[in-house]
Amino acid sequence: MKRKISLFVALIMVVAMFAGCSSKTKTTTDDDQKSTVDTSKSSEEKDNEQEPEIKDQTLKVSVFQGGFGREYWDEVAKAFEAQNEGVTVEVVADPNIGERIRNDILSNDSPDFVFLSSRDKSGTTQSLIKDKAIADISDVMNKLKDKMIDGVLDNSLLSPYGDGKTYLAPFNFSSLGLWYNENYFKTNDITAPVTWDDFFELQNKITDRALITYAGIYPGYLESLVFPAIASGAGKDTFDKLVKYDVATLDSDEFKAIMEKFEKIASTKAIMNGTAGINHTTSQAEFLMGKAAMIPNGSWIANEMKDAPREDGFTWGFAAAPVLKADNDKYVVASMDEMYIPSASKNKELAKKFLEFLYSDEAIKIQAEKAQSVPPLKGVADVIKPFVDEATGASYTLFDKGYKPLISNFAAVDNMTLVPRKEFFGTVGQVITGTKTKEEAIDYLKPIFEEAAKNIVK
């Protein structure tokens, strides 16, 4: 049976065809330019010839406006313009930017540069990955590879097709785990849990609030709890098979042992009442007001909730997800929100120049100050310290304490109505909130994994 091409891709192909014909009437290729120069200038002048400056161009930048805000993007756009005479950077920031990007591409008005996580609820980035509608940026990232934290580029998040090429770039690098009120813990002589036994023993000390809450209607926030729990308890090899939809891992004793811990969260009533029906901001607000002792989240939570009311004396504390045994390998999900250049961009070279600029010393300082984050570059942890609270700063250096970064995501799939990542975390969330048993969850996930394994994008 011939494979169907999605309407999204078909429209992009049509748009690209017409756009390509149009551009040929207005511009010349680099080879054409060199040929013209060769016929009009002496060899001495040619030896002194430099690359032409990029002038009188507009770069269209579309960014997700969330916990990192938009001020950084406005400031870094000005800085880029200052270094590139004649260039204008137009920034469009929106909490629902995914829908706008999709509509813009279909209307032949694609942004040139995008900041939008593949975990965004719009699914736009995942769709572009599936449809191979993102430009190869290996040339830029290879220039920066030596500056990057070791191994940060070698993962399926940034290189989704396993072809040795990079298509997405990391905006930030931060740790996801369990956040808590450090002052409350200290006042009540409570130590952050290391093992699952430690976690459940907290119920003997914490009696005025639930142990944990999360964004029930956006169960993807469970990633910071679920992924490292599986990697540490079931082993990294098992985890790697899981995110590639290996059905056998669902039936493994190791995976079931972790699911039992999630089931126990429900049976011991460790989960905050009402968690299943709340969004991320509500769950975070309830946590800040002392309704739950811990919340799985990323370091962006401190900036996203900086103006939210909180219980008296609140200070941020951070811990990794619990492990089965104290001597297990300990993992922390290293979150990277992605940036990329759509294939439909009409200004790819300028977009690449902008991308490279975002990793410059000037841009890093702006990012630390305005977005309270830094990209995954070596030796930049100290840059962020003046701009964030102590706990958030500590989350950037946790890997120096023996914790291993876990940088992964479910493999991209095609030809599926259901989104495997969404179904997985939604189902685990039902186990945590008590609406499914672990056996029911595993039985539900098996056919989804079987279908997903057949449809992994190659």
Side-chain angles (χ1 to χ4, degrees):
M1 182 182 292
K2 294 184 178 179
R3 195 175 183 178
K4 294 182 180 179
I5 299 177
S6 69
L7 177 61
F8 192 33
V9 177
L11 286 172
I12 289 175
M13 292 172 66
V14 173
V15 167
M17 180 174 67
F18 283 102
C21 294
S22 175
S23 64
K24 289 178 183 177
T25 65
K26 296 180 181 179
T27 64
T28 58
T29 66
D30 289 344
D31 289 340
D32 292 336
Q33 291 174 339
K34 289 176 183 176
S35 176
T36 302
V37 172
D38 286 345
T39 60
S40 61
K41 292 189 178 183
S42 68
S43 60
E44 181 178 353
E45 288 173 320
K46 284 187 287 182
D47 289 340
N48 294 327
E49 189 71 25
Q50 297 179 350
E51 290 292 326
E53 293 182 11
I54 300 175
K55 286 190 174 183
D56 302 324
Q57 293 190 39
T58 297
L59 185 72
K60 297 179 180 180
V61 176
S62 293
V63 301
F64 173 70
Q65 185 173 343
F68 296 116
R70 73 163 290 160
E71 188 177 4
Y72 159 73
W73 293 101
D74 291 333
E75 291 297 317
V76 82
K78 291 177 185 176
F80 183 72
E81 289 173 345
Q83 289 194 14
N84 296 273
E85 182 182 353
V87 169
T88 300
V89 180
E90 292 182 353
V91 176
V92 176
D94 191 328
N96 298 310
I97 197 67
E99 300 296 337
R100 295 183 63 164
I101 290 169
R102 181 185 288 114
N103 293 335
D104 288 344
I105 291 176
L106 293 175
S107 301
N108 191 22
D109 190 25
S110 171
D112 299 305
F113 183 92
V114 170
F115 164 58
L116 181 66
S117 172
S118 59
R119 299 183 301 274
D120 183 70
K121 63 180 182 291
S122 69
T124 295
T125 298
Q126 282 288 357
S127 294
L128 291 171
I129 292 171
K130 281 196 310 182
D131 296 336
K132 295 190 175 181
I134 295 179
D136 178 4
I137 55 171
S138 300
D139 51 346
V140 177
M141 302 316 292
N142 285 339
K143 291 182 188 177
L144 300 166
K145 192 167 187 176
D146 289 342
K147 295 176 63 177
M148 294 281 181
I149 292 173
D150 292 339
V152 79
L153 296 179
D154 303 325
N155 59 81
S156 60
L157 197 65
L158 306 182
S159 301
Y161 310 119
D163 58 359
K165 297 179 181 179
T166 306
Y167 294 85
L168 301 98
F171 169 72
N172 63 306
F173 186 76
S174 58
S175 305
L176 284 76
L178 293 176
W179 296 85
Y180 60 92
N181 180 350
E182 189 173 56
N183 181 57
Y184 174 85
F185 273 45
K186 284 183 177 179
T187 301
N188 291 281
D189 194 25
I190 298 169
T191 302
V194 173
T195 68
W196 281 106
D197 287 342
D198 296 338
F199 178 88
F200 290 111
E201 285 175 7
L202 289 181
Q203 288 184 302
N204 296 324
K205 290 189 173 183
I206 297 176
T207 58
D208 64 338
R209 62 194 68 191
L211 282 192
I212 194 167
T213 188
Y214 73 97
I217 64 173
Y218 299 134
Y221 278 82
L222 285 171
E223 177 185 18
S224 55
L225 175 68
V226 174
F227 269 3
I230 295 170
S232 61
K236 182 62 163 54
D237 289 343
T238 297
F239 173 80
D240 289 339
K241 292 177 182 178
L242 181 82
V243 294
K244 292 179 182 177
Y245 312 111
D246 178 64
V247 177
T249 62
L250 297 176
D251 270 329
S252 68
D253 291 339
E254 293 83 1
F255 180 74
K256 288 180 178 179
I258 300 301
M259 291 293 282
E260 285 175 4
K261 300 304 179 185
F262 299 148
E263 199 171 42
K264 189 174 179 179
I265 290 176
S267 65
T268 61
K269 303 188 184 305
I271 191 74
M272 186 185 81
N273 287 337
T275 288
I278 58 178
N279 62 21
H280 62 298
T281 52
T282 301
S283 64
Q284 291 163 189
E286 296 282 76
F287 158 71
L288 287 171
M289 291 304 296
K291 299 293 182 64
M294 290 172 284
I295 186 170
N297 216 298
S299 58
W300 61 79
I301 187 175
N303 186 51
E304 188 172 30
M305 303 300 290
K306 63 183 178 181
D307 298 322
R310 58 205 65 199
E311 61 181 331
D312 292 343
F314 183 95
T315 56
W316 290 99
F318 178 79
V323 296
L324 285 176
K325 299 178 181 178
D327 59 354
N328 284 151
D329 285 338
K330 298 177 178 66
Y331 291 93
V332 176
V333 172
S335 170
M336 298 189 297
D337 294 298
E338 306 100 314
M339 308 179 287
Y340 54 90
I341 300 168
S343 296
S345 163
K346 301 181 181 70
N347 222 343
K348 291 186 181 69
E349 291 309 311
L350 183 58
K352 287 183 177 181
K353 189 172 184 179
F354 180 69
L355 173 61
E356 187 171 355
F357 175 73
L358 297 185
Y359 295 101
S360 67
D361 291 345
E362 181 179 3
I364 290 168
K365 290 178 181 177
I366 296 172
Q367 185 175 342
E369 181 178 0
K370 303 299 183 182
Q372 287 77 53
S373 68
V374 288
L377 301 176
K378 296 173 182 175
V380 296
D382 289 341
V383 176
I384 199 171
K385 285 184 179 178
F387 306 108
V388 298
D389 58 88
E390 185 177 351
T392 303
S395 75
Y396 279 82
T397 59
L398 200 61
F399 304 110
D400 296 330
K401 301 176 182 178
Y403 287 84
K404 299 180 179 182
L406 192 62
I407 306 169
S408 192
N409 199 358
F410 282 105
V413 296
D414 201 359
N415 283 348
M416 285 191 69
T417 302
L418 297 177
V419 179
R421 175 189 166 87
K422 182 178 179 181
E423 295 301 317
F424 178 79
F425 285 117
T427 303
V428 174
Q430 289 178 310
V431 174
I432 289 174
T433 55
T435 56
K436 265 190 172 70
T437 66
K438 69 178 187 296
E439 289 84 7
E440 291 171 339
I442 290 170
D443 288 343
Y444 176 80
L445 290 172
K446 281 181 181 179
I448 297 173
F449 269 46
E450 289 172 352
E451 185 180 358
K454 297 175 184 176
N455 290 283
I456 293 177
V457 175
K458 303 294 185 182

